[in-house]
Amino acid sequence: MHYPWWYVPFLNAPMLIAVIAVLHVLVSHYAVGGGLFLAVETSFAYRTKNKSYLDYLRQHAWFFILITVVYGAITGVGIWWTIGLASPLATETLIHAFVFGWAMEYVFFVLEIVSAFIFYYYWGRLDAKTHTAIGWIYAGAAWISLVLITGITAFMLHPGSWLESKNFWAGFFNPQFVPQVFSRTGGSFLLASLYVYLHAAFKVKDSAMRDLIAARSARPALLGAILVVLGGVGWFVFLPASAKAALAAASTLNLMMALIFALTVAVFALLYFGPYRNPGWLTPGFAIVLFVLGLAAFSAGEFVREAVRKPFIVYNVVLGNQVLAEEVPVLRANGYLESGSWMRAHVAARFPQAIENGKINEARLLELPKENQIELGEMLFQYSCNNCHAPKNGFSAASHLMRGWTTEMIRTCSREPEKLHFFMPPWAGTPEESELLTQYLISIAPAHPAGMYFGDER
Amino acid sequence: MNPSDLIGPSSSLGSPAPYWFLVFFKILGFVLHIIPMSLWYAGIILALLVRWKGGENGRIWSGRLMKQMPLLVALGVNFGIVPLLFTQVSYYQVFYPATILMAWFWLSVILLLTLAYYGVYIYAYGLKEGNSGLTPFRQAAAWIAAIFFIVIGFLFSNAFSLMTNLGGWPALAEKTGEAGAVLGTALNTGDSTLWARWLMMFGLALTTTGAYAYVDAGVFGRKESEKYRLWAGGFALKIYTLGAVWFALFGSWYVFGTWQEEVKATMFAMPLGILTVLTAVSPGLVWFCLWFFRKSVSKRAAFFVALTQLVVLSLNAVSRQIVQNLELGKFLDVTAEPVKMQLSPIVLFLLLFVFGIGVVVWMVRKVIAVETRPAAG
């Protein structure tokens, strides 16, 4: 670990990524699907000379800009901000592997911004052909930016042959690329329709216009739902074995998968029986229910997508605790504290007596007073475990997970966490350091809950 | 402790392109970013003050700038991605630790920016409805946006000054740490470079705002009255003068008060001495253009003003880059990163870059055609 670890009390730093990522994807998919909606429907409205529909689309374009160009764009930057803070090594790796993927995406961002503003602000001033063309430029640029970022995020789950070749294209066209492009494209269609329904349900008073909007957006939404399912199947098929095992093993993920399935069925049924068969159902209440269910399905999907990567951030490349997988044997030989720039500096400043010939003498660490060993163990916990576990209280708090454990159980967990749970990173330090961590964990592990009766004597 | 010990090893993946290529795009992106950025940083607060105390023409200028502000913010945010992207490729060993030390403040930029951006929209929307649309709520939203943009500037100056202040890292980490980890609550306020740069950049932003006032009147505001355009010429000169004096004042503090001896020794010696002098005096050229053309605001004059201000900003960006490398030089040689060239992605990026410029030019030409089309009837 070559960067300082950011301790976020109660939660933990990587959870901030999950929060911001979910907040972002709920809008970023609309930025893609909504762009396509505006391009297709504006062309249709011009072709059919439907002025009222054009007026509605103009209103929707303003709503679209306010949501996507401001909130969508800034939360997108926000993800980048957060990954650099919470997962600096993974970000460093991704940036080195894909900087030109991001640079290409940037070109399309600029096209999106310029075309979106011209599309809205020059509505009625550009001729229909030019106006529609600019709408299509936006839609095309937005979808390509989706494809570009999907190549990079899918890489994190399964880098494929990049692991051997380190070739940009091998990483970009990874086994997860096509399935995720399918599901994200489908998700864009689906979410865009849900945003359109929500907006139209509140803004459009004319029932004939509302029916038209409901009917026009139903097919893309249903197509989107089908693409999401197809992409989801592909996603599952091409998952690495560890991710499939995580899906089967973690009860939270079981629940999430069931939730995703139930919500997808519900959204599909509501779309089919609602806007597709009965456009008149589009009322504010119906639109809100559909919207909330859609967002819930999406959020659960994003959570699962992030969670199945454990213990990796980038599969077989970067572990969750900011260690390169290839570094583990070196760290076990040289010491986790010695190899981490910031930890070594802290030890040197705090315990100069443990330094010998400019290096940390691990044996001396175990000669320190107990409270100092616990202090060092706490630092090892921060750098090695806090990416997933809060210490005493909070998200997946280690102390509560170890409630009632014996010393030996704690020691085993410190030494070989990956054997206890395959979705935990391996211990990447020396046995002495593992012992320091054990001391700390013992100090925070609460006793078995009192009053539990197992048939023995009271 | 030697601060260099806190720098981690180079990425085993190597640099995906030669340093000169990355730094070229970093500087190009920064120059593109700093134009709209200056208009939020100094322009919004100035627009609000001028609306309040600037008379009729002042209100027109203020309204024109604030109506354009949503687009300017969008462009600025997007143009800012490029320099940040290339900073993370070439300067990752110092960029990540610096931002992690001040993580909560760095993360707060996202919240502040979102709120400020919506504040700008709230105000700009009110402008559509004339004076009655600028309710106290909308005005308050704009003031909050102006303050937030200045705070964001402060936080950026913090991050980028902390990036080169390696000597300050251990103390900040200890002061704001918990069990060897950091809480992300540090700021680089003990480093005078931060204050000098933040204030100097405000002066530079004022000059860009002044130059833009002239360009707007000469190019985009041709449908405004002659009286306004003449006023705008004089106003641009006044703002530019204020900005140039401010820039000179705090720039002097920055150069003579905060540069380390080795930086001074290089930047004041030949051949870089020429660059330093040009960077310092270049605003004078724009000032002269504004003074010369103040009574004849034309498209051609606006072109000169824009071009010369672009030179000012480019010289600043290049000088800043060299100084940054010199400041880091004793700890890290960013140019020495092993290169593992990603040729085909670079070629595709360059092709798309050219294609993207072509499409933008096509769209802008369509807009210009609409703007210059004679009114019907």
Side-chain angles (χ1 to χ4, degrees), chain A residues 9 49 119 136 180 186 189 232 276 307 314 325 337 396:
Chain A
K49 298 187 172 56
F119 186 74
W136 280 104
Q180 291 203 24
F189 292 172
Y276 185 68
V314 180
L337 294 170
S396 192

Side-chain angles (χ1 to χ4, degrees), chain A residues 2-9 16 20 62 65-67 69-71 74-75 77-78 80-82 84-85 88 91-93 95-100 102-104 106-111 113-115 117-118 120-122 125-126 130 133-134 137 162 166 168-169 324 326 341-342 344-346 349 375 378-379 382-383, chain B residues 1 5-9 11-14 16-17 21 70-71 74-75 77-79 81-82 84-86 88-89 92 96-97 99-101 103-104 106-107 109-110 113-114 117-118 121 125 128 156 169 173-174 178-184 337 342 344-346 348-349 352-353 356 359-360 362-363 366-367 370-371 373:
Chain A
H2 311 300
Y3 297 110
W5 176 250
W6 178 28
Y7 172 53
V8 175
L16 294 175
I20 295 181
W62 175 238
I65 282 182
L66 278 184
I67 300 272
V69 172
V70 183
Y71 176 89
I74 298 176
T75 49
V77 177
W80 214 26
W81 239 243
T82 327
L85 296 172
T91 312
E92 174 201 310
T93 305
I95 293 246
H96 276 78
F98 293 112
V99 63
F100 291 107
W102 267 301
M104 289 176 220
Y106 154 77
V107 171
F108 291 100
F109 278 158
V110 173
L111 284 179
I113 292 292
V114 175
S115 57
F117 277 98
I118 294 176
Y120 176 71
Y121 284 104
Y122 285 85
R125 298 176 70 190
L126 291 166
T130 309
I134 287 175
I137 288 172
W162 181 91
K166 302 287 187 286
F168 177 96
W169 299 112
L324 292 170
E326 65 187 14
S341 322
W342 290 74
R344 188 178 55 218
H346 182 76
E375 188 184 328
E378 187 179 4
M379 179 165 68
Q382 292 282 6
Y383 279 81
Chain B
M1 187 191 68
D5 292 344
L6 291 174
I7 296 178
S11 168
S12 60
L13 295 175
F21 184 90
L71 175 63
L75 288 176
V77 169
N78 271 275
F79 289 152
I81 292 172
V82 176
L84 209 57
L85 183 63
F86 290 110
Q88 292 194 46
V89 183
Y92 60 99
Y96 295 129
T99 49
I100 291 169
L101 282 168
W104 283 112
W106 188 237
L107 193 61
V109 167
I110 301 302
L113 184 57
T114 308
Y117 201 170
Y118 277 119
Y121 263 106
Y125 201 75
K128 278 186 176 176
F156 264 83
W169 288 2
E174 287 301 318
E178 177 149 330
V182 298
L183 288 168
E337 186 96 347
Q342 297 181 358
S344 56
I346 291 175
L348 184 58
F349 160 63
L352 287 172
F353 187 71
V359 176
V360 169
W362 179 81
M363 289 193 285
K366 292 288 177 189
V367 166
V370 168
E371 290 292 346
R373 194 166 53 200

Side-chain angles (χ1 to χ4, degrees), chain A residues 88-354:
Chain A
L89 185 68
T91 312
E92 174 201 310
T93 305
L94 287 173
I95 293 246
H96 276 78
F98 293 112
V99 63
F100 291 107
W102 267 301
M104 289 176 220
E105 196 189 13
Y106 154 77
V107 171
F108 291 100
F109 278 158
V110 173
L111 284 179
E112 281 176 57
I113 292 292
V114 175
S115 57
F117 277 98
I118 294 176
F119 186 74
Y120 176 71
Y121 284 104
Y122 285 85
W123 197 296
R125 298 176 70 190
L126 291 166
D127 62 86
K129 193 178 160 195
T130 309
H131 189 222
T132 316
I134 287 175
W136 280 104
I137 288 172
Y138 176 89
W143 186 73
I144 295 172
S145 66
L146 175 147
V147 172
L148 287 166
I149 197 63
T150 302
I152 299 169
T153 53
F155 165 87
M156 293 167 75
L157 184 53
H158 198 329
S161 61
W162 181 91
L163 292 169
E164 292 80 44
S165 67
K166 302 287 187 286
N167 176 279
F168 177 96
W169 299 112
F172 188 82
F173 294 112
N174 57 77
Q176 281 285 331
F177 173 72
V178 173
Q180 291 203 24
V181 167
F182 261 72
S183 58
R184 290 200 177 280
T185 303
S188 303
F189 292 172
L190 180 58
L191 264 192
S193 292
L194 302 190
Y195 273 94
V196 170
Y197 290 153
L198 189 69
H199 180 256
F202 282 93
K203 286 284 179 184
V204 180
K205 303 297 171 208
D206 174 21
S207 60
M209 177 54 64
R210 226 174 26 228
D211 289 356
L212 173 72
I213 294 165
R216 292 281 307 167
S217 282
R219 280 173 199 274
L222 289 169
L223 171 66
I226 293 167
L227 286 175
V228 168
V229 172
L230 284 177
V233 170
W235 168 82
F236 181 79
V237 169
F238 292 103
L239 277 180
S242 66
K244 281 184 183 162
L247 269 181
S251 54
T252 313
L253 296 184
N254 296 165
L255 273 175
M256 285 286 181
M257 288 302 285
L259 192 66
I260 294 167
F261 180 75
L263 289 170
T264 308
V265 170
V267 169
F268 194 89
L270 284 175
L271 280 169
Y272 181 78
F273 292 110
Y276 185 68
R277 296 294 296 268
N278 303 288
W281 284 18
L282 187 58
T283 59
F286 180 84
I288 289 172
V289 169
L290 198 54
F291 187 72
V292 170
L293 291 177
L295 293 198
F298 242 80
S299 306
E302 286 299 320
F303 183 88
V304 170
R305 189 185 65 82
E306 287 281 329
V308 294
R309 287 202 309 261
K310 284 182 180 180
F312 297 101
I313 297 175
V314 180
Y315 180 68
N316 280 351
V317 181
V318 184
L319 285 155
N321 54 359
Q322 301 300 305
V323 167
L324 292 170
E326 65 187 14
E327 270 184 326
V328 173
V330 182
L331 298 177
R332 281 177 171 164
N334 298 345
Y336 193 60
L337 294 170
E338 176 60 35
S339 308
S341 322
W342 290 74
M343 287 183 286
R344 188 178 55 218
H346 182 76
V347 172
R350 185 81 182 81
F351 305 108
Q353 67 271 37

Side-chain angles (χ1 to χ4, degrees), chain B residues 60-375:
Chain B
I60 296 174
W61 173 77
S62 171
R64 288 188 60 80
L65 182 65
M66 290 305 286
K67 276 181 192 163
Q68 296 167 30
M69 202 51 77
L71 175 63
L72 292 168
V73 177
L75 288 176
V77 169
N78 271 275
F79 289 152
I81 292 172
V82 176
L84 209 57
L85 183 63
F86 290 110
T87 296
Q88 292 194 46
V89 183
S90 299
Y91 295 84
Y92 60 99
Q93 288 156 296
V94 287
F95 175 79
Y96 295 129
T99 49
I100 291 169
L101 282 168
M102 54 174 287
W104 283 112
F105 295 107
W106 188 237
L107 193 61
S108 74
V109 167
I110 301 302
L111 182 66
L112 293 171
L113 184 57
T114 308
L115 295 174
Y117 201 170
Y118 277 119
V120 163
Y121 263 106
I122 288 168
Y123 186 83
Y125 201 75
L127 279 170
K128 278 186 176 176
E129 296 164 23
N131 279 338
S132 62
L134 292 180
T135 58
F137 166 71
R138 290 187 192 280
Q139 291 187 42
W143 278 102
I144 289 169
I147 293 165
F148 280 7
F149 278 125
I150 291 171
V151 173
I152 290 169
F154 178 72
L155 295 175
F156 264 83
S157 292
N158 250 286
F160 286 91
S161 59
L162 190 52
M163 208 171 109
T164 54
N165 180 24
L166 273 71
W169 288 2
L172 285 173
E174 287 301 318
K175 198 173 143 197
T176 61
E178 177 149 330
V182 298
L183 288 168
T185 52
L187 279 176
N188 194 31
T189 46
D191 179 4
S192 58
T193 314
L194 155 69
W195 300 100
R197 266 197 66 77
W198 178 47
L199 291 165
M200 181 188 80
M201 290 304 282
F202 191 80
L204 193 62
L206 272 175
T207 64
T208 305
T209 307
Y212 187 74
Y214 191 94
V215 172
D216 177 61
V219 180
F220 309 121
R222 296 183 68 77
K223 288 178 184 166
E224 299 288 352
S225 68
E226 194 53 38
K227 189 181 149 210
Y228 167 76
R229 282 150 47 81
L230 204 63
W231 175 89
F235 174 74
L237 181 64
K238 279 184 206 158
I239 296 303
Y240 204 94
T241 307
L242 173 68
V245 170
W246 187 308
F247 177 70
L249 205 64
F250 290 102
S252 301
W253 177 19
Y254 172 62
V255 171
F256 299 109
T258 73
W259 276 6
Q260 296 147 5
E261 286 311 314
E262 55 269 33
V263 176
K264 279 184 194 162
T266 311
M267 293 306 287
F268 290 153
M270 286 299 160
L272 286 173
I274 298 170
L275 178 68
T276 308
V277 172
L278 284 175
T279 307
V281 302
S282 58
L285 183 63
V286 189
W287 186 90
F288 178 77
C289 284
L290 285 168
W291 175 80
F292 191 78
F293 295 124
R294 71 191 182 283
K295 288 183 179 162
S296 55
V297 180
S298 65
K299 221 178 195 179
R300 179 172 295 189
F303 172 76
F304 274 111
V305 170
L307 191 69
T308 46
Q309 184 63 13
L310 191 66
V311 171
V312 170
L313 297 177
S314 303
L315 285 168
N316 265 279
V318 172
S319 295
R320 168 63 192 148
Q321 189 55 68
I322 294 169
V323 170
Q324 191 179 50
N325 286 3
L326 288 170
E327 286 169 338
L328 282 172
K330 57 186 171 186
F331 309 112
L332 173 73
D333 181 4
V334 289
T335 63
E337 186 96 347
V339 178
K340 291 185 183 170
M341 188 91 151
Q342 297 181 358
L343 193 59
S344 56
I346 291 175
V347 171
L348 184 58
F349 160 63
L350 291 174
L351 289 173
L352 287 172
F353 187 71
V354 173
F355 165 78
I357 290 173
V359 176
V360 169
V361 167
W362 179 81
M363 289 193 285
V364 171
R365 284 182 64 163
K366 292 288 177 189
V367 166
I368 291 171
V370 168
E371 290 292 346
T372 52
R373 194 166 53 200

